[in-house]
């Protein structure tokens, strides 16, 4: 049965990949992308689907109650998937306020709209960072859905607060919700200030590759399309009121990733520059995805050493996309596309 889905933050990295997947896998669905187009939202990313009759782009802030309610009235969505978030840890340390506003109050605005207009499912896209970190010397430990929340940064605190709010709306108002908490994503359309695309861009330009501390921090890397497929399963078949962890079983140290990128680009390791570690830098993230596998049959399809090859090749093939971001020109794209409309 055809459905209408509002995807907030759909011009960002994971959101845009989710939009592409849904239009491909559910050709009769109507997909509405609502995005504020902050620094991490890039309308040119959505260029491949802008003329798709089942796709609509709306520029708005999820904190803007009037704009959100207007969109719900117009589109009468069946499902809302909330990717919209301030998500860069370093930026949250410099300016926590905008993270609290967007990630908490924006989430509340969306859920209030869901209560007012009615929906089948509200899905909150969260992060494994709400669990804090794990010790490097205990590779047997993993985050499960029962792991207590123990945040380290203003970013992860704001995401944890949003998760608690979502669960409270379910318990108090009966709102049909689900939450997913994912490990680090990588793949096409990743914003260039994040680790993997930053290292690719710097290496191609023969610029220094800045690595925090000794580069020994460990992350569980998840290819973005695998993540999107998991969310597709959750919004259609996941149990209401449940949290699902989505992990890649692809744990790598930061320095391994940087050296792998240099190897793939045939660049020297002398480009690596070690810099002062981030404040409150989490040591290790690792997710146990047993629950989503047992309940919904999901498993990651892409091993890291395969996914990183595909990712590096994508950045080589799409230099215009990320070079426009680095130059700042991407922020003019909306005006060029819509300025006279």
């Amino acid at each position: 049965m055809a459905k209408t889905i509002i995807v907030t933050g759909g011009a960002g990295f994971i959101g845009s990949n989710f939009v592409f997947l849904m239009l491909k896998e559910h050709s009769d669905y109507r997909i509405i992308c609502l995005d504020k187009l902050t620094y991490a939202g890039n309308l040119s990313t959505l260029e491949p689907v802008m003329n798709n009759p089942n796709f609509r782009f709306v520029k708005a802030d999820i904190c803007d109650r009037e704009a959100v309610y207007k969109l719900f009235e117009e589109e009468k969505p069946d499902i809302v998937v909330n990717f919209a978030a301030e998500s860069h840890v370093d930026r949250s340390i410099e300016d926590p306020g905008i993270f609290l506003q967007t990630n908490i109050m924006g989430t509340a605005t969306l859920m209030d709209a869901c209560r007012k207009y009615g929906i089948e499912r509200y899905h909150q896209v969260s992060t494994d960072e709400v669990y804090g970190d794990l010790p490097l010397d205990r590779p047997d430990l993993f985050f499960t859905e029962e792991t207590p929340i123990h945040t380290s940064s203003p970013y992860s605190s704001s995401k944890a607060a949003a998760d608690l709010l979502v669960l409270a709306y379910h318990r108090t108002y009966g709102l049909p919700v689900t939450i997913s908490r994912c490990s680090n994503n990588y793949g096409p359309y990743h914003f260039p200030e994040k680790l993997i695309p930053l290292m690719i861009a710097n290496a191609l330009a023969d610029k220094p590759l800045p690595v925090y501390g000794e580069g020994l921090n460990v992350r569980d890397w998840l290819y973005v399309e695998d993540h999107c497929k998991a969310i597709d399963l959750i919004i259609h078949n996941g149990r209401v009121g449940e949290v699902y962890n989505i992990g890649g079983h692809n744990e790598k140290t930061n320095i391994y990733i940087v050296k792998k990128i240099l190897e793939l680009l045939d660049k020297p390791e002398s480009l690596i520059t070690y810099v002062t570690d981030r404040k409150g830098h989490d040591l290790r993230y690792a997710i146990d995805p047993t629950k989503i596998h047992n309940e919904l049959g999901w498993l990651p399809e892409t091993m890291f050493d395969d996914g990183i090859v595909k990712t590096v090749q994508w950045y080589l093939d799409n230099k215009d996309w990320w070079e426009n971001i680095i130059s700042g020109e991407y922020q003019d794209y909306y005006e060029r596309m819509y300025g006279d409309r």
Side-chain angles (χ1 to χ4, degrees):
M1 180 179 172
K3 297 183 185 296
T4 296
I5 302 182
I6 290 179
V7 180
T8 68
F13 165 43
I14 307 174
S16 62
N17 278 280
F18 182 73
V19 167
F20 298 148
L21 178 77
M22 297 306 286
L23 288 169
K24 181 177 73 173
E25 298 294 329
H26 306 277
S27 58
D28 57 341
Y29 281 22
R30 181 166 168 76
I31 307 297
I32 316 300
C33 171
L34 178 132
D35 200 295
K36 185 181 177 182
L37 296 181
T38 59
Y39 71 91
N42 185 355
L43 191 62
S44 67
T45 298
L46 296 169
E47 197 167 8
V49 298
M50 290 300 275
N51 293 323
N52 187 315
N54 288 340
F55 177 75
R56 177 190 175 193
F57 176 80
V58 177
K59 184 182 181 184
D61 185 343
I62 60 170
C63 296
D64 184 341
R65 191 170 293 266
E66 183 179 347
V68 169
Y69 282 21
K70 180 175 182 287
L71 182 61
F72 272 68
E73 283 186 11
E74 291 172 354
E75 296 291 350
K76 299 176 175 55
D78 301 292
I79 299 170
V80 176
V81 182
N82 181 26
F83 290 94
E86 295 284 345
S87 64
H88 197 285
V89 174
D90 289 343
R91 287 177 183 252
S92 82
I93 293 170
E94 294 297 320
D95 182 14
I98 186 63
F99 284 73
L100 307 182
Q101 182 68 22
T102 298
N103 297 355
I104 302 173
M105 297 309 298
T107 297
T109 300
L110 290 171
M111 290 192 297
D112 285 342
C114 290
R115 287 180 57 219
K116 180 177 174 68
Y117 295 100
I119 41 105
E120 292 177 12
R121 179 69 57 92
Y122 172 88
H123 183 75
Q124 179 77 1
V125 180
S126 188
T127 170
D128 59 356
E129 293 190 43
V130 302
Y131 297 125
D133 63 353
L134 296 166
L136 294 176
D137 60 355
R138 289 292 307 276
D140 56 313
L141 294 181
F142 295 89
F143 296 138
T144 73
E145 290 81 1
E146 306 305 317
T147 301
I149 285 175
H150 185 69
T151 59
S152 303
S153 69
Y155 160 62
S156 57
S157 297
S158 67
K159 292 296 288 185
D163 287 2
L164 294 174
L165 196 61
V166 169
L167 294 173
Y169 268 62
H170 170 63
R171 184 166 182 174
T172 303
Y173 304 114
L175 195 70
V177 307
T178 42
I179 296 172
S180 58
R181 293 173 179 157
C182 68
S183 55
N184 282 44
N185 281 220
Y186 69 104
Y189 300 107
H190 203 175
F191 194 72
E193 71 180 29
K194 298 289 189 169
L195 177 69
I196 289 176
L198 176 66
M199 297 303 155
I200 294 171
N202 281 17
L204 287 171
D206 294 310
K207 293 169 61 177
L209 276 58
V211 174
Y212 282 130
E214 297 177 29
L216 299 180
N217 303 71
V218 172
R219 299 293 180 261
D220 175 15
W221 290 92
L222 177 66
Y223 193 65
V224 64
E225 188 176 33
D226 290 347
H227 181 195
C228 294
K229 288 178 179 178
I231 294 173
D232 186 12
L233 281 171
I234 293 169
I235 62 176
H236 288 98
N237 302 312
R239 287 186 292 139
V240 168
E242 293 294 318
V243 175
Y244 293 91
N245 282 351
I246 308 172
H249 274 318
N250 283 294
E251 287 185 59
K252 305 292 179 188
T253 62
N254 288 348
I255 194 63
Y256 172 87
I257 288 169
V258 173
K259 289 182 177 181
K260 184 70 176 178
I261 289 169
L262 289 170
E263 175 191 324
L264 291 170
L265 294 174
D266 196 25
K267 296 288 185 175
E269 291 187 6
S270 58
L271 288 174
I272 296 171
T273 302
Y274 295 95
V275 298
T276 304
D277 209 351
R278 168 194 291 162
K279 296 176 182 177
H281 199 177
D282 289 334
L283 294 174
R284 172 176 170 255
Y285 302 149
I287 274 184
D288 179 357
T290 298
K291 179 177 177 178
I292 190 172
H293 173 61
N294 288 346
E295 290 192 16
L296 304 178
W298 179 87
L299 279 175
E301 300 171 19
T302 311
M303 292 297 99
F304 182 81
D305 285 348
D306 298 323
I308 193 65
V309 172
K310 289 198 290 186
T311 300
V312 168
Q313 190 59 52
W314 187 90
Y315 279 87
L316 288 171
D317 294 340
N318 293 272
K319 284 187 178 181
D320 286 350
W321 181 84
W322 54 267
E323 285 177 347
N324 281 341
I325 293 177
I326 290 172
S327 72
E329 290 181 16
Y330 80 105
Q331 292 180 320
D332 300 327
Y333 183 86
Y334 180 84
E335 289 304 319
R336 293 201 305 273
M337 289 289 291
Y338 288 96
D340 298 328
R341 296 190 183 185

